[in-house]
mmCIF file of all heavy atoms in Angstrom:
data_model
loop_
_atom_site.group_PDB
_atom_site.id
_atom_site.type_symbol
_atom_site.label_atom_id
_atom_site.label_comp_id
_atom_site.label_asym_id
_atom_site.label_seq_id
_atom_site.Cartn_x
_atom_site.Cartn_y
_atom_site.Cartn_z
ATOM 1 N N ILE Z 1 0.854 -1.194 0.000
ATOM 2 C CA ILE Z 1 0.000 0.000 0.000
ATOM 3 C C ILE Z 1 0.887 1.239 0.000
ATOM 4 O O ILE Z 1 1.797 1.368 0.825
ATOM 5 C CB ILE Z 1 -0.935 0.012 1.216
ATOM 6 C CG1 ILE Z 1 -1.854 -1.209 1.229
ATOM 7 C CG2 ILE Z 1 -1.739 1.303 1.253
ATOM 8 C CD1 ILE Z 1 -2.879 -1.239 0.152
ATOM 9 N N ALA Z 2 0.637 2.171 -0.923
ATOM 10 C CA ALA Z 2 1.493 3.350 -1.054
ATOM 11 C C ALA Z 2 1.079 4.491 -0.137
ATOM 12 O O ALA Z 2 1.929 5.277 0.306
ATOM 13 C CB ALA Z 2 1.492 3.827 -2.506
ATOM 14 N N ARG Z 3 -0.208 4.597 0.138
ATOM 15 C CA ARG Z 3 -0.732 5.743 0.904
ATOM 16 C C ARG Z 3 -1.815 5.241 1.844
ATOM 17 O O ARG Z 3 -2.677 4.449 1.454
ATOM 18 C CB ARG Z 3 -1.274 6.808 -0.040
ATOM 19 C CG ARG Z 3 -1.892 8.032 0.608
ATOM 20 C CD ARG Z 3 -2.200 9.078 -0.462
ATOM 21 N NE ARG Z 3 -2.879 10.253 0.071
ATOM 22 C CZ ARG Z 3 -4.170 10.528 -0.122
ATOM 23 N NH1 ARG Z 3 -4.932 9.695 -0.863
ATOM 24 N NH2 ARG Z 3 -4.704 11.622 0.405
ATOM 25 N N VAL Z 4 -1.797 5.722 3.082
ATOM 26 C CA VAL Z 4 -2.805 5.365 4.070
ATOM 27 C C VAL Z 4 -3.438 6.645 4.598
ATOM 28 O O VAL Z 4 -2.736 7.543 5.070
ATOM 29 C CB VAL Z 4 -2.208 4.548 5.234
ATOM 30 C CG1 VAL Z 4 -3.284 4.267 6.290
ATOM 31 C CG2 VAL Z 4 -1.617 3.240 4.725
ATOM 32 N N VAL Z 5 -4.756 6.732 4.504
ATOM 33 C CA VAL Z 5 -5.515 7.875 5.011
ATOM 34 C C VAL Z 5 -6.292 7.413 6.232
ATOM 35 O O VAL Z 5 -7.103 6.490 6.147
ATOM 36 C CB VAL Z 5 -6.454 8.442 3.939
ATOM 37 C CG1 VAL Z 5 -7.229 9.641 4.488
ATOM 38 C CG2 VAL Z 5 -5.673 8.838 2.694
ATOM 39 N N VAL Z 6 -6.040 8.052 7.368
ATOM 40 C CA VAL Z 6 -6.599 7.642 8.652
ATOM 41 C C VAL Z 6 -7.602 8.677 9.133
ATOM 42 O O VAL Z 6 -7.333 9.884 9.079
ATOM 43 C CB VAL Z 6 -5.476 7.457 9.699
ATOM 44 C CG1 VAL Z 6 -6.061 7.128 11.074
ATOM 45 C CG2 VAL Z 6 -4.510 6.367 9.257
ATOM 46 N N GLY Z 7 -8.732 8.196 9.628
ATOM 47 C CA GLY Z 7 -9.727 9.110 10.176
ATOM 48 C C GLY Z 7 -9.329 9.650 11.540
ATOM 49 O O GLY Z 7 -9.205 10.853 11.747
ATOM 50 N N ALA Z 8 -9.126 8.756 12.505
ATOM 51 C CA ALA Z 8 -8.794 9.151 13.877
ATOM 52 C C ALA Z 8 -7.663 8.276 14.398
ATOM 53 O O ALA Z 8 -7.567 7.094 14.055
ATOM 54 C CB ALA Z 8 -10.012 9.030 14.789
ATOM 55 N N LEU Z 9 -6.820 8.851 15.222
ATOM 56 C CA LEU Z 9 -5.769 8.087 15.880
ATOM 57 C C LEU Z 9 -6.364 7.231 16.980
ATOM 58 O O LEU Z 9 -7.361 7.589 17.604
ATOM 59 C CB LEU Z 9 -4.703 9.022 16.446
ATOM 60 C CG LEU Z 9 -3.923 9.870 15.432
ATOM 61 C CD1 LEU Z 9 -2.897 10.746 16.147
ATOM 62 C CD2 LEU Z 9 -3.237 8.994 14.390
ATOM 63 N N ASP Z 10 -5.737 6.093 17.241
ATOM 64 C CA ASP Z 10 -6.208 5.141 18.242
ATOM 65 C C ASP Z 10 -5.690 5.549 19.619
ATOM 66 O O ASP Z 10 -4.478 5.664 19.810
ATOM 67 C CB ASP Z 10 -5.713 3.736 17.879
ATOM 68 C CG ASP Z 10 -6.366 2.643 18.715
ATOM 69 O OD1 ASP Z 10 -6.886 2.937 19.811
ATOM 70 O OD2 ASP Z 10 -6.352 1.467 18.265
ATOM 71 N N PRO Z 11 -6.581 5.770 20.616
ATOM 72 C CA PRO Z 11 -6.116 6.150 21.954
ATOM 73 C C PRO Z 11 -5.524 4.997 22.755
ATOM 74 O O PRO Z 11 -4.981 5.217 23.833
ATOM 75 C CB PRO Z 11 -7.395 6.675 22.623
ATOM 76 C CG PRO Z 11 -8.501 5.907 21.966
ATOM 77 C CD PRO Z 11 -8.057 5.705 20.535
ATOM 78 N N ASN Z 12 -5.651 3.770 22.249
ATOM 79 C CA ASN Z 12 -5.088 2.618 22.941
ATOM 80 C C ASN Z 12 -3.585 2.832 23.125
ATOM 81 O O ASN Z 12 -2.860 3.054 22.152
ATOM 82 C CB ASN Z 12 -5.343 1.349 22.138
ATOM 83 C CG ASN Z 12 -4.945 0.087 22.872
ATOM 84 O OD1 ASN Z 12 -4.122 0.093 23.796
ATOM 85 N ND2 ASN Z 12 -5.515 -1.033 22.474
ATOM 86 N N PRO Z 13 -3.060 2.775 24.359
ATOM 87 C CA PRO Z 13 -1.624 2.999 24.578
ATOM 88 C C PRO Z 13 -0.738 2.063 23.766
ATOM 89 O O PRO Z 13 0.420 2.401 23.485
ATOM 90 C CB PRO Z 13 -1.458 2.751 26.079
ATOM 91 C CG PRO Z 13 -2.812 3.003 26.665
ATOM 92 C CD PRO Z 13 -3.784 2.552 25.627
ATOM 93 N N LEU Z 14 -1.255 0.902 23.372
ATOM 94 C CA LEU Z 14 -0.475 -0.027 22.563
ATOM 95 C C LEU Z 14 -0.323 0.455 21.126
ATOM 96 O O LEU Z 14 0.494 -0.084 20.367
ATOM 97 C CB LEU Z 14 -1.117 -1.414 22.577
ATOM 98 C CG LEU Z 14 -1.172 -2.126 23.934
ATOM 99 C CD1 LEU Z 14 -1.954 -3.428 23.822
ATOM 100 C CD2 LEU Z 14 0.237 -2.392 24.456
ATOM 101 N N VAL Z 15 -1.138 1.450 20.739
ATOM 102 C CA VAL Z 15 -1.066 2.011 19.388
ATOM 103 C C VAL Z 15 -0.701 3.488 19.497
ATOM 104 O O VAL Z 15 0.433 3.861 19.310
ATOM 105 C CB VAL Z 15 -2.395 1.811 18.624
ATOM 106 C CG1 VAL Z 15 -2.259 2.312 17.190
ATOM 107 C CG2 VAL Z 15 -2.829 0.349 18.655
ATOM 108 N N ALA Z 16 -1.683 4.328 19.780
ATOM 109 C CA ALA Z 16 -1.489 5.747 20.097
ATOM 110 C C ALA Z 16 -0.448 6.439 19.226
ATOM 111 O O ALA Z 16 0.547 6.990 19.712
ATOM 112 C CB ALA Z 16 -1.130 5.909 21.584
ATOM 113 N N GLY Z 17 -0.625 6.404 17.923
ATOM 114 C CA GLY Z 17 0.288 7.057 17.001
ATOM 115 C C GLY Z 17 1.419 6.178 16.507
ATOM 116 O O GLY Z 17 2.076 6.510 15.508
ATOM 117 N N GLN Z 18 1.652 5.069 17.175
ATOM 118 C CA GLN Z 18 2.754 4.200 16.788
ATOM 119 C C GLN Z 18 2.483 3.480 15.467
ATOM 120 O O GLN Z 18 3.410 3.185 14.711
ATOM 121 C CB GLN Z 18 3.030 3.181 17.887
ATOM 122 C CG GLN Z 18 3.428 3.799 19.218
ATOM 123 C CD GLN Z 18 3.589 2.756 20.308
ATOM 124 O OE1 GLN Z 18 4.473 1.901 20.240
ATOM 125 N NE2 GLN Z 18 2.729 2.817 21.314
ATOM 126 N N GLY Z 19 1.204 3.180 15.195
ATOM 127 C CA GLY Z 19 0.872 2.533 13.941
ATOM 128 C C GLY Z 19 1.209 3.418 12.752
ATOM 129 O O GLY Z 19 1.838 2.967 11.780
ATOM 130 N N CYS Z 20 0.818 4.690 12.825
ATOM 131 C CA CYS Z 20 1.140 5.635 11.757
ATOM 132 C C CYS Z 20 2.645 5.845 11.651
ATOM 133 O O CYS Z 20 3.195 5.920 10.541
ATOM 134 C CB CYS Z 20 0.436 6.971 12.006
ATOM 135 S SG CYS Z 20 -1.371 6.914 11.786
ATOM 136 N N ALA Z 21 3.335 5.937 12.789
ATOM 137 C CA ALA Z 21 4.781 6.141 12.781
ATOM 138 C C ALA Z 21 5.493 4.969 12.111
ATOM 139 O O ALA Z 21 6.445 5.165 11.337
ATOM 140 C CB ALA Z 21 5.291 6.341 14.201
ATOM 141 N N GLN Z 22 5.032 3.763 12.401
ATOM 142 C CA GLN Z 22 5.653 2.580 11.805
ATOM 143 C C GLN Z 22 5.488 2.580 10.288
ATOM 144 O O GLN Z 22 6.430 2.237 9.552
ATOM 145 C CB GLN Z 22 5.028 1.323 12.412
ATOM 146 C CG GLN Z 22 5.736 0.038 12.033
ATOM 147 C CD GLN Z 22 5.107 -1.170 12.699
ATOM 148 O OE1 GLN Z 22 4.388 -1.958 12.095
ATOM 149 N NE2 GLN Z 22 5.356 -1.324 13.964
ATOM 150 N N LEU Z 23 4.317 2.957 9.807
ATOM 151 C CA LEU Z 23 4.085 3.005 8.370
ATOM 152 C C LEU Z 23 4.957 4.074 7.709
ATOM 153 O O LEU Z 23 5.528 3.854 6.635
ATOM 154 C CB LEU Z 23 2.612 3.273 8.089
ATOM 155 C CG LEU Z 23 1.630 2.157 8.489
ATOM 156 C CD1 LEU Z 23 0.193 2.639 8.337
ATOM 157 C CD2 LEU Z 23 1.866 0.907 7.659
ATOM 158 N N ARG Z 24 5.048 5.232 8.346
ATOM 159 C CA ARG Z 24 5.864 6.314 7.785
ATOM 160 C C ARG Z 24 7.328 5.914 7.727
ATOM 161 O O ARG Z 24 8.026 6.192 6.734
ATOM 162 C CB ARG Z 24 5.692 7.581 8.616
ATOM 163 C CG ARG Z 24 4.331 8.261 8.466
ATOM 164 C CD ARG Z 24 4.337 9.629 9.128
ATOM 165 N NE ARG Z 24 3.062 10.335 8.956
ATOM 166 C CZ ARG Z 24 2.179 10.491 9.917
ATOM 167 N NH1 ARG Z 24 2.390 9.972 11.134
ATOM 168 N NH2 ARG Z 24 1.045 11.129 9.669
ATOM 169 N N GLU Z 25 7.817 5.271 8.772
ATOM 170 C CA GLU Z 25 9.211 4.840 8.793
ATOM 171 C C GLU Z 25 9.520 3.868 7.664
ATOM 172 O O GLU Z 25 10.647 3.806 7.169
ATOM 173 C CB GLU Z 25 9.536 4.202 10.146
ATOM 174 C CG GLU Z 25 9.580 5.192 11.304
ATOM 175 C CD GLU Z 25 9.701 4.504 12.644
ATOM 176 O OE1 GLU Z 25 9.792 3.243 12.654
ATOM 177 O OE2 GLU Z 25 9.700 5.199 13.689
ATOM 178 N N ALA Z 26 8.506 3.114 7.245
ATOM 179 C CA ALA Z 26 8.695 2.153 6.158
ATOM 180 C C ALA Z 26 8.517 2.789 4.783
ATOM 181 O O ALA Z 26 8.635 2.099 3.759
ATOM 182 C CB ALA Z 26 7.721 0.993 6.312
ATOM 183 N N GLY Z 27 8.240 4.107 4.733
ATOM 184 C CA GLY Z 27 8.120 4.806 3.466
ATOM 185 C C GLY Z 27 6.705 5.003 2.962
ATOM 186 O O GLY Z 27 6.502 5.554 1.875
ATOM 187 N N THR Z 28 5.695 4.588 3.721
ATOM 188 C CA THR Z 28 4.302 4.767 3.324
ATOM 189 C C THR Z 28 3.864 6.193 3.624
ATOM 190 O O THR Z 28 4.155 6.735 4.691
ATOM 191 C CB THR Z 28 3.393 3.785 4.076
ATOM 192 O OG1 THR Z 28 3.860 2.453 3.890
ATOM 193 C CG2 THR Z 28 1.959 3.895 3.588
ATOM 194 N N VAL Z 29 3.164 6.813 2.687
ATOM 195 C CA VAL Z 29 2.597 8.134 2.924
ATOM 196 C C VAL Z 29 1.380 7.978 3.821
ATOM 197 O O VAL Z 29 0.464 7.206 3.517
ATOM 198 C CB VAL Z 29 2.197 8.802 1.595
ATOM 199 C CG1 VAL Z 29 1.518 10.145 1.860
ATOM 200 C CG2 VAL Z 29 3.414 8.975 0.703
ATOM 201 N N VAL Z 30 1.362 8.694 4.933
ATOM 202 C CA VAL Z 30 0.265 8.594 5.894
ATOM 203 C C VAL Z 30 -0.327 9.974 6.127
ATOM 204 O O VAL Z 30 0.401 10.928 6.420
ATOM 205 C CB VAL Z 30 0.739 7.996 7.233
ATOM 206 C CG1 VAL Z 30 -0.432 7.934 8.226
ATOM 207 C CG2 VAL Z 30 1.329 6.610 7.033
ATOM 208 N N GLU Z 31 -1.626 10.091 5.997
ATOM 209 C CA GLU Z 31 -2.349 11.326 6.291
ATOM 210 C C GLU Z 31 -3.439 11.023 7.301
ATOM 211 O O GLU Z 31 -4.085 9.970 7.232
ATOM 212 C CB GLU Z 31 -2.936 11.919 5.016
ATOM 213 C CG GLU Z 31 -1.878 12.291 3.987
ATOM 214 C CD GLU Z 31 -2.455 12.909 2.738
ATOM 215 O OE1 GLU Z 31 -3.508 13.581 2.863
ATOM 216 O OE2 GLU Z 31 -1.877 12.731 1.649
ATOM 217 N N THR Z 32 -3.658 11.914 8.233
ATOM 218 C CA THR Z 32 -4.610 11.695 9.314
ATOM 219 C C THR Z 32 -5.626 12.834 9.397
ATOM 220 O O THR Z 32 -5.433 13.898 8.807
ATOM 221 C CB THR Z 32 -3.890 11.567 10.666
ATOM 222 O OG1 THR Z 32 -3.210 12.799 10.966
ATOM 223 C CG2 THR Z 32 -2.869 10.432 10.641
ATOM 224 N N GLY Z 33 -6.703 12.583 10.128
ATOM 225 C CA GLY Z 33 -7.672 13.624 10.424
ATOM 226 C C GLY Z 33 -8.753 13.837 9.387
ATOM 227 O O GLY Z 33 -9.489 14.819 9.468
ATOM 228 N N VAL Z 34 -8.914 12.937 8.428
ATOM 229 C CA VAL Z 34 -9.975 13.062 7.427
ATOM 230 C C VAL Z 34 -11.289 12.574 8.034
ATOM 231 O O VAL Z 34 -11.386 11.431 8.491
ATOM 232 C CB VAL Z 34 -9.634 12.268 6.154
ATOM 233 C CG1 VAL Z 34 -10.789 12.319 5.167
ATOM 234 C CG2 VAL Z 34 -8.359 12.809 5.522
ATOM 235 N N LEU Z 35 -12.282 13.448 8.094
ATOM 236 C CA LEU Z 35 -13.564 13.184 8.763
ATOM 237 C C LEU Z 35 -13.332 12.698 10.201
ATOM 238 O O LEU Z 35 -14.005 11.793 10.692
ATOM 239 C CB LEU Z 35 -14.398 12.160 7.982
ATOM 240 C CG LEU Z 35 -14.817 12.549 6.560
ATOM 241 C CD1 LEU Z 35 -15.775 11.476 5.999
ATOM 242 C CD2 LEU Z 35 -15.478 13.904 6.517
ATOM 243 N N GLU Z 36 -12.393 13.354 10.847
ATOM 244 C CA GLU Z 36 -11.987 12.913 12.180
ATOM 245 C C GLU Z 36 -13.134 12.956 13.181
ATOM 246 O O GLU Z 36 -13.297 12.022 13.975
ATOM 247 C CB GLU Z 36 -10.830 13.772 12.696
ATOM 248 C CG GLU Z 36 -10.321 13.336 14.071
ATOM 249 C CD GLU Z 36 -9.134 14.146 14.536
ATOM 250 O OE1 GLU Z 36 -8.772 15.129 13.844
ATOM 251 O OE2 GLU Z 36 -8.546 13.805 15.582
ATOM 252 N N GLU Z 37 -13.939 14.029 13.169
ATOM 253 C CA GLU Z 37 -15.020 14.136 14.139
ATOM 254 C C GLU Z 37 -15.997 12.967 14.005
ATOM 255 O O GLU Z 37 -16.415 12.371 14.995
ATOM 256 C CB GLU Z 37 -15.760 15.458 13.980
ATOM 257 C CG GLU Z 37 -16.856 15.669 15.024
ATOM 258 C CD GLU Z 37 -17.518 17.024 14.933
ATOM 259 O OE1 GLU Z 37 -17.086 17.836 14.101
ATOM 260 O OE2 GLU Z 37 -18.466 17.274 15.689
ATOM 261 N N GLY Z 38 -16.359 12.631 12.764
ATOM 262 C CA GLY Z 38 -17.259 11.510 12.550
ATOM 263 C C GLY Z 38 -16.645 10.193 12.975
ATOM 264 O O GLY Z 38 -17.324 9.328 13.536
#
């Protein structure tokens, strides 16, 4: 997958931004906050 668009970050301490960070470190384009309120 080349690009990942995320609605909301996971508040679970086991994730909490680490999932997005891991993808970015591997070269995947990650964007967050799309329709975040919903």
Side-chain angles (χ1 to χ4, degrees):
I1 300 292
R3 178 172 176 253
V4 177
V5 180
V6 176
L9 297 180
D10 191 339
N12 187 338
L14 296 174
V15 184
Q18 299 176 65
C20 290
Q22 189 178 104
L23 293 172
R24 289 190 178 106
E25 290 172 2
T28 306
V29 176
V30 179
E31 299 181 31
T32 63
V34 176
L35 298 186
E36 182 177 6
E37 183 176 356

